[in-house]
Amino acid sequence: QISGDVVCAVDGAPLEPGEAVRDGYGRGKETIKLPATGGVSIRIMLGTGLAKELVTGEGGEFDIPLPAGAYACIATYPGFYPFMDPDCLVEEGKTRTLRVVLSPFFMPGGLRAV
C-alpha cells in the first residue's frame, strides 16, 4: 500500500480543490486559486504500464492498495510542475508513505526560490 498527501512546494498547504495556495512571488499573500473540482491525479506505474490511477481526496490525501513490487509514482495537477518518484518500492505487509510536493509553474521571466 502507498499512502500519503500532496502539498504545495511554496507554503506546504495541501492541494485541495477550491482552496488557495501561495504562488512564491513577492512578500505579500499572492495566491493561486485552485480549481473548484478535481484533485491531484496520482498514477502508479509498473514498468511501462499503468497499475493504478486515482484522484486525491479531501486534504490532498490518498491511499492506494497495491501488491508488493517496484513502482514509479507520478502526480499531476493543472498549473503545477509534475512530480515523479521512480523508486516507489512497496514491501509485503508494509505501507509506503509518500509526500508529493508540487511546485507552481514559473511566471515567464520570473525567479522563485523554494
Side-chain angles (χ1 to χ4, degrees), residues 7-99:
V7 298
C8 178
V10 176
D11 61 6
L15 293 182
E16 288 188 74
E19 296 298 318
V21 293
R22 300 263 330 266
D23 66 5
Y25 291 99
R27 300 179 132 188
K29 297 188 186 236
E30 294 80 6
T31 60
I32 300 167
K33 179 74 170 170
L34 302 178
T37 60
V40 176
S41 175
I42 307 283
R43 292 177 190 89
I44 307 299
M45 307 297 291
L46 181 58
T48 58
L50 181 65
K52 293 269 183 165
E53 183 173 22
L54 64 86
V55 174
T56 57
E58 196 170 313
E61 297 176 352
F62 59 91
D63 291 300
I64 307 168
L66 292 164
Y71 300 92
C73 300
I74 301 168
T76 57
Y77 196 68
F80 289 78
Y81 289 100
F83 166 93
M84 180 177 180
D85 182 347
D87 299 314
C88 284
L89 180 64
V90 175
E91 298 181 57
E92 187 68 40
K94 294 186 178 179
T95 298
R96 164 76 187 253
T97 302
L98 182 66
R99 167 144 286 185

